[in-house]
Amino acid sequence: MAAVQVERSSDGAVWTVVLHRPHARNAVDRATADALWQAFLEFEQDECAKCAVLYGKGGTFCAGADLKALSSKVGTDGLSRGGNKVTEPDPNSRLQE
């Protein structure tokens, strides 16, 4: 099962973005961070989307960064997305509101 799932209401206005790594208390590793990034980019591009709810499966919202993944130094290029450095937020983004 994917680390991040996106569920949409029937009219597409409400999105529920679900962290699904209960074995790791929904801690965020590189793959999960990338999946979250992609989910919220898709949310921003969907004109029908009005509200996004971030939810964690398994009784824990999110334990934060996955320290095991950080200690193994696998995929820890924290500031890159698709090879591009993220330096400043997009001032035109709805995610800034």
Side-chain angles (χ1 to χ4, degrees):
M1 180 159 285
V4 174
Q5 299 170 316
V6 177
E7 302 165 4
R8 294 171 181 92
S9 62
S10 60
D11 66 358
V14 179
W15 287 34
T16 303
V17 179
V18 182
L19 294 171
H20 199 283
R21 296 188 72 224
H23 62 282
R25 306 193 113 194
N26 296 319
V28 178
D29 62 0
R30 172 82 272 145
T32 304
D34 288 343
L36 284 168
W37 181 264
Q38 187 61 42
F40 284 106
L41 283 177
E42 290 173 17
F43 170 82
E44 184 171 350
Q45 294 168 359
D46 185 339
E47 292 182 13
C48 295
K50 304 297 180 203
C51 174
V53 178
L54 183 57
Y55 175 80
K57 287 273 190 186
T60 302
F61 167 64
C62 179
D66 187 335
L67 299 179
K68 288 181 184 177
L70 285 174
S71 68
S72 69
K73 300 198 186 288
V74 174
T76 57
D77 62 336
L79 296 177
S80 68
R81 299 282 185 271
N84 298 318
K85 289 290 182 182
V86 177
T87 55
E88 296 197 19
D90 179 355
N92 300 315
S93 172
R94 290 189 307 158
L95 299 177
Q96 302 299 314
E97 296 175 2

